Amino acid sequence: MRCLLILAIATLLAACGRDRGDLKADLPPSCPAGAAAEVRIVERKIYVPIDSVLTRREPIAEGPLAECPQVARERRAALERANSRLQQIESVQGTEVKP
């Protein structure tokens, strides 16, 4: 049993040291001979960061039916604040980022 194990290890080790000069890399050369280098412009999109003040959540007013007019006023005020922040975000969207 030991002889078989030693023979298998010796066979594997003998195959590891072979020099295979006929193998070539699969990758193309980085700059083929005779080819002129060309400049390529790559456009990167960098998004403008939005201030966290503009993305905060608005609380939703709730209350009993007796306080319906007050709750409606509070909800309308919350909607107007949210729309104002969305308008500010819209004005920033699409602007260039300052380096």
Side-chain angles (χ1 to χ4, degrees), residues 12-53:
L12 289 174
L13 288 176
C16 289
R18 264 195 216 173
D19 180 27
R20 303 268 322 240
D22 60 338
L23 293 179
K24 293 184 181 179
D26 292 343
L27 301 174
S30 60
C31 188
E38 65 180 75
V39 176
R40 292 187 183 180
I41 297 174
V42 178
E43 186 177 323
R44 287 185 356 182
K45 292 192 179 211
I46 300 174
Y47 295 98
V48 179
I50 302 296
D51 192 11
S52 63
V53 172

Side-chain angles (χ1 to χ4, degrees), residues 1 5 11-12 17-18 21 31 36-37 41 48 57 70 75 83 87 89 93 95 97-98:
M1 186 68 175
L5 184 60
T11 305
L12 289 174
R18 264 195 216 173
C31 188
I41 297 174
V48 179
R57 307 270 190 242
Q70 177 63 29
R75 286 185 179 182
N83 283 337
Q87 193 173 26
I89 291 171
Q93 182 180 3
T95 59
V97 177
K98 297 176 185 172

